[in-house]
Amino acid sequence: MYKLDIPLSLKEKAAIERRRRAEEERQGRVFNSKYRQIGVDKEALEQQVQERNWLEDLEQKRANAFAQDAIRNDKIAQLLQNRQENDEREYNRSLNEFRALHQQPSGQREWDLNDPDYLKKDMPARVSDDDPRCGVASLQKFEGEDQNSRARAKYQKEQLREWSRMQQEAQRRAEQQQQAADKLFHAKQNELDQRGLELQRAEEECHRAINESIKNYNNALFRETQERQALKKRQTDHDNYAEMANMISCDLLTENPDQAISQYGPHRVVPDRWKGMSEDQIRQIREEQQRQVEEKKRRDEEEQQRNDEWDRRRHAEAKAGMIIEKQIEGERRVYEHDLYDDNQRLANEQRNLKKYLDSVVYTNQPTAAYFMQFNTTTR
């Protein structure tokens, strides 16, 4: 038989009594609000803190994701705005360039009627005396008129000035020659005077030979006069020949181009002596003009190449921009589609969870007796 009526031992009884007293003391501490509030449930608080930190971290990640998405959208909007501004700026520049090249006032159909310089560009009624438009009844040419009178008078004045200068130069040379001849004559006179003095002294010293000396002196003087005249005639002939030779070989008649070189340098000329450019100078000028034409043609070709390169680059950038824009639009559609799928999945999960809680978990509604069993013990 079972030993149900066996009394408890003192040891077990003491243990039960000890546990009862400990429970009473514990109830006194737990149900006493003064002592219960001294200590807290550290593990529960740490778990709550971890849950709160996890929620804050999740919220921070969600905010960062939205912020990154907003930044990306702002960058895309800025790129689109800059592209639109560049397109508008390029369109305005092209429009102004087209207007400047193809819509000038001179290209209008009525420009010949509105041109303020029409009268300046129009050909005068009479250009020259031989104008074929001036007929008998044109009343533009009359008998006795001379249209080139001013130019001819100017040319005549310049010719008269040149002749006057040449006469002055010839007169100056004649005066210089006359002065040289006078100087020679005076020197000869001085020599004759000196010789007369010497003869006078000889006459004073040799009074006896005066008559014979006078005869010899007269003969010598006659011969000397003849020689002087002959010498003067030869000098005059020599001067005349020299003058004729100078006139024949002068720079004026021979048209020497070196006479037009200025004393300030070989690159400058004297206008009243210049006879025109030489064949070498004309050839050099034409070669320089041809070189300038080729240089201008080369610069125009380089400018056209640069413009073509800029046009190709602009078209390539526009095409690349359109491709990038299409890629961004495709990525946006994919993102929106993935977001829509995630929202639908979360909505389905929430509906299934709510349905599960309503149909399975929350089927047994608690009564008042269920809540009364709490806070009866310390465990």
Side-chain angles (χ1 to χ4, degrees):
M1 60 180 290
Y2 296 100
K3 296 180 179 181
L4 298 178
D5 55 351
I6 296 174
L8 297 174
S9 64
L10 295 177
K11 187 176 180 179
E12 293 179 355
K13 186 177 181 179
I16 293 171
E17 187 65 25
R18 186 174 65 254
R19 286 197 297 272
R20 184 179 295 114
R21 287 197 303 271
E23 178 65 22
E24 291 178 356
E25 292 178 358
R26 182 178 176 83
Q27 289 181 357
R29 292 194 303 272
V30 171
F31 293 108
N32 190 355
S33 60
K34 180 178 179 181
Y35 293 101
R36 188 179 66 249
Q37 292 179 358
I38 295 175
V40 294
D41 193 353
K42 184 177 180 182
E43 295 180 356
L45 293 178
E46 290 179 354
Q47 185 177 0
Q48 292 177 0
V49 169
Q50 291 177 359
E51 292 178 356
R52 182 62 180 271
N53 292 332
W54 179 78
L55 291 175
E56 290 180 354
D57 190 11
L58 182 62
E59 186 67 24
Q60 183 66 30
K61 291 180 180 179
R62 183 169 177 272
N64 292 333
F66 280 110
Q68 293 178 359
D69 192 10
I71 291 171
R72 186 171 61 85
N73 293 332
D74 292 338
K75 290 181 178 180
I76 294 172
Q78 289 179 359
L79 291 174
L80 294 176
Q81 184 177 2
N82 294 331
R83 185 179 302 163
Q84 183 178 3
E85 292 177 356
N86 293 330
D87 292 341
E88 291 179 356
R89 192 181 300 108
E90 185 66 22
Y91 173 75
N92 293 329
R93 189 191 65 77
S94 301
L95 181 60
N96 294 329
E97 184 178 358
F98 178 80
R99 289 175 178 174
L101 293 177
H102 304 288
Q103 293 184 351
Q104 293 294 328
S106 59
Q108 297 179 359
R109 185 176 58 184
E110 298 83 4
W111 177 246
D112 56 345
L113 301 177
N114 300 326
D115 190 1
D117 297 333
Y118 173 74
L119 296 178
K120 296 180 180 179
K121 297 178 182 178
D122 191 13
M123 183 178 292
R126 176 184 175 188
V127 178
S128 64
D129 293 338
D130 299 332
D131 196 346
R133 298 178 302 163
C134 299
V136 178
S138 62
L139 296 179
Q140 296 295 329
K141 179 179 179 183
F142 299 96
E143 192 69 25
E145 287 186 341
D146 189 4
Q147 192 174 7
N148 297 325
S149 61
R150 184 175 299 175
R152 187 174 61 258
K154 183 178 180 181
Y155 176 73
Q156 290 176 354
K157 289 180 181 179
E158 292 179 356
Q159 188 176 13
L160 183 61
R161 188 181 300 109
E162 183 65 20
W163 288 349
S164 177
R165 188 187 63 78
M166 292 172 59
Q167 290 177 1
Q168 291 177 2
E169 184 68 20
Q171 185 178 2
R172 184 178 61 80
R173 287 198 298 268
E175 290 178 354
Q176 290 179 356
Q177 293 175 1
Q178 185 64 32
Q179 290 177 2
D182 293 340
K183 184 177 182 181
L184 182 61
F185 178 76
H186 291 306
K188 193 65 177 178
Q189 289 295 112
N190 294 329
E191 184 179 356
L192 293 175
D193 293 339
Q194 185 67 26
R195 186 174 295 178
L197 293 175
E198 291 178 355
L199 291 174
Q200 186 178 1
R201 286 194 299 270
E203 184 179 3
E204 291 177 354
E205 294 176 356
C206 301
H207 184 68
R208 298 176 180 180
I210 292 176
N211 295 327
E212 187 178 357
S213 297
I214 290 173
K215 182 180 179 180
N216 295 330
Y217 173 74
N218 290 331
N219 293 330
L221 183 62
F222 176 74
R223 288 191 301 271
E224 186 178 358
T225 303
Q226 288 182 348
E227 291 177 0
R228 185 170 65 251
Q229 291 177 357
L231 178 62
K232 184 176 182 181
K233 186 176 183 302
R234 287 195 302 271
Q235 183 67 31
T236 302
D237 295 337
H238 182 269
D239 294 338
N240 293 332
Y241 292 149
E243 183 177 0
M244 288 188 292
N246 291 332
M247 291 296 293
I248 292 173
S249 61
C250 67
D251 295 336
L252 179 64
L253 297 179
T254 58
E255 295 185 355
N256 185 10
D258 296 335
Q259 66 175 345
I261 299 176
S262 177
Q263 61 180 353
Y264 296 104
H267 63 283
R268 301 182 63 177
V269 297
V270 180
D272 56 354
R273 301 179 185 175
W274 189 54
K275 301 300 180 180
M277 292 185 294
S278 61
E279 294 294 334
D280 294 337
Q281 292 176 347
I282 295 174
R283 181 177 54 79
Q284 291 177 1
I285 291 174
R286 290 177 179 174
E287 292 178 355
E288 181 65 21
Q289 290 176 351
Q290 184 65 25
R291 189 188 62 78
Q292 292 178 358
V293 170
E294 294 176 356
E295 181 67 19
K296 186 176 185 301
K297 186 183 296 183
R298 184 183 62 79
R299 289 199 300 269
D300 294 340
E301 292 177 355
E302 292 179 355
E303 183 68 21
Q304 184 65 30
Q305 291 178 1
R306 286 196 295 270
N307 294 332
D308 295 340
E309 182 66 22
W310 277 111
D311 292 338
R312 288 194 297 270
R313 185 176 297 179
R314 185 171 64 253
H315 292 157
E317 290 179 355
K319 185 176 181 181
M322 294 177 63
I323 294 173
I324 293 173
E325 185 176 358
K326 290 181 180 179
Q327 291 178 357
I328 294 173
E329 185 66 22
E331 293 177 358
R332 185 182 64 79
R333 287 197 297 269
V334 171
Y335 174 76
E336 291 179 354
H337 185 268
D338 295 341
L339 182 63
Y340 177 77
D341 293 340
D342 292 339
N343 291 332
Q344 291 294 329
R345 181 177 57 78
L346 291 175
N348 293 329
E349 290 179 358
Q350 289 180 359
R351 284 195 298 270
N352 294 331
L353 179 61
K354 186 174 183 303
K355 183 177 180 181
Y356 172 77
L357 292 176
D358 294 338
S359 61
V360 178
V361 179
Y362 299 143
T363 57
N364 188 11
Q365 296 293 332
T367 61
Y370 174 75
F371 294 103
M372 291 299 294
Q373 67 181 343
F374 295 103
N375 292 329
T376 57
T377 62
T378 59
R379 302 295 177 184

